[in-house]
């Protein structure tokens, strides 16, 4: 069955380029991103994994552990990482799961048979410290993901988790945010000392609280 927001991210133990990993243990109390790619030694995947490696500090700053998955074997991942490092001018040091028996792909419904019988699509799952799924994204093999958008969503998710605010359309870091409907205007005024603008009783904005 498809995984939904709020579900516990399925646990597993798998071989990776960083040794055997038990997923929940490896996550610990961190946020996590597990993302799949169709196959090793393919062009779009090479740029995506390289981009993820280049953004290492951005993921670390947000306390997000990153792990990649495809149904290729470990020796293939290891060889391919050399190409990624060389061509994308980076160092991949996040683990890549060698999911040759499709254990993880099936747990996370990453194989969409009408797209490909064998390969994983480009799935992204962002997981909170409570191990619950906070975001899912599914892209076709031919479209490389926008990792700036993935970081933006993580920022939004973390603002909601920490401050009870939501983010408006096209929000980017530093712009005003929205007080969630569960917080009364009276409480919002106490909670957000930078001020609350009441555009409508249901649309209240405040400066980004952690800026
Ligand atoms: C790629 O990663 O470049 C790719 C993989 C499968 C289909 C199309 C592109």
């Amino acid at each position: 069955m498809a995984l939904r927001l709020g579900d516990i991210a399925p646990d597993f133990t798998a071989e990776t380029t960083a040794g055997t990993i038990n997923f929940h243990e490896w996550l610990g109390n961190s946020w996590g991103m597990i993302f799949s790619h169709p196959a090793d030694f393919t062009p779009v995947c090479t740029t995506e994994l390289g981009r993820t490696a280049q953004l290492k500090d951005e993921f670390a700053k947000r306390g997000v552990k990153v792990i990649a998955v495809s149904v290729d074997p470990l020796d293939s991942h290891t060889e391919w990482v050399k190409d990624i490092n060389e061509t994308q001018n980076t160092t991949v040091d996040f683990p890549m799961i060698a999911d040759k028996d499709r254990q993880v792909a099936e747990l996370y419904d990453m194989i969409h048979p009408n797209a490909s019988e064998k390969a994983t699509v480009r799935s992204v799952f962002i997981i909170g410290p409570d191990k619950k799924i906070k975001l899912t994204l599914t892209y076709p093999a031919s479209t490389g993901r926008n990792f700036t958008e993935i970081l933006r969503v993580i920022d939004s998710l973390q603002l909601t988790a920490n401050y009870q605010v939501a983010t408006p359309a096209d929000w980017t870091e530093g712009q005003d945010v929205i007080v969630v409907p569960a917080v009364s205007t009276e409480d919002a005024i106490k909670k957000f000392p930078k001020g609350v603008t009441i555009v409508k009783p249901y649309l209240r904005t405040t400066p980004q609280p952690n800026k």
Side-chain angles (χ1 to χ4, degrees):
M1 205 173 81
L3 293 172
R4 294 179 173 167
L5 302 187
D7 290 353
I8 296 288
D11 195 17
F12 57 82
T13 298
E15 294 308 310
T16 82
T17 50
T20 303
I21 280 179
N22 172 264
F23 187 51
H24 280 194
E25 264 174 35
W26 175 81
L27 280 171
N29 296 321
S30 296
W31 288 73
M33 175 173 89
I34 179 166
F35 68 123
S36 57
H37 55 272
D40 293 359
F41 299 104
T42 51
V44 177
C45 302
T46 299
T47 62
E48 284 194 323
L49 282 267
R51 185 71 187 127
T52 307
Q54 290 163 2
L55 292 169
K56 175 185 173 176
D57 292 347
E58 294 298 322
F59 284 105
K61 202 162 83 182
R62 292 161 174 83
V64 179
K65 290 186 167 179
V66 170
I67 192 164
V69 55
S70 78
V71 295
D72 293 300
L74 200 53
D75 55 349
S76 164
H77 281 354
T78 308
E79 281 306 303
W80 182 40
V81 164
K82 293 179 196 164
D83 283 2
I84 300 170
N85 290 346
E86 177 197 324
T87 61
Q88 308 305 303
N89 195 25
T90 191
T91 303
V92 173
D93 64 1
F94 53 84
M96 292 167 59
I97 298 166
D99 193 34
K100 59 184 185 345
D101 58 3
R102 302 181 179 197
Q103 179 207 185
V104 178
E106 280 170 16
L107 270 178
Y108 282 79
D109 196 25
M110 289 164 164
I111 295 179
H112 295 198
N114 290 329
S116 165
E117 286 287 345
K118 291 190 197 135
T120 40
V121 292
R122 297 188 195 283
S123 298
V124 182
F125 293 84
I126 305 292
I127 298 161
D130 56 2
K131 310 283 186 296
K132 288 186 179 168
I133 295 170
K134 307 296 180 189
L135 173 94
T136 65
L137 288 173
T138 307
Y139 277 52
S142 50
T143 305
R145 286 159 284 202
N146 182 330
F147 288 84
T148 306
E149 167 62 6
I150 290 173
L151 291 172
R152 189 192 76 93
V153 177
I154 291 168
D155 286 341
S156 172
L157 292 169
Q158 295 187 341
L159 278 169
T160 305
N162 296 330
Y163 299 99
Q164 289 189 289
V165 293
T167 54
D170 296 337
W171 173 85
T172 54
E173 177 76 6
Q175 294 178 345
D176 285 359
V177 297
I178 289 173
V179 179
V180 297
V183 177
S184 69
T185 297
E186 189 187 354
D187 287 347
I189 289 164
K190 288 184 214 143
K191 196 173 164 63
F192 302 110
K194 291 178 188 164
V196 176
T197 303
I198 303 163
V199 182
K200 290 281 180 191
Y202 59 85
L203 173 55
R204 296 136 328 144
T205 63
T206 187
Q208 186 177 328
N210 61 345
K211 275 275 147 193

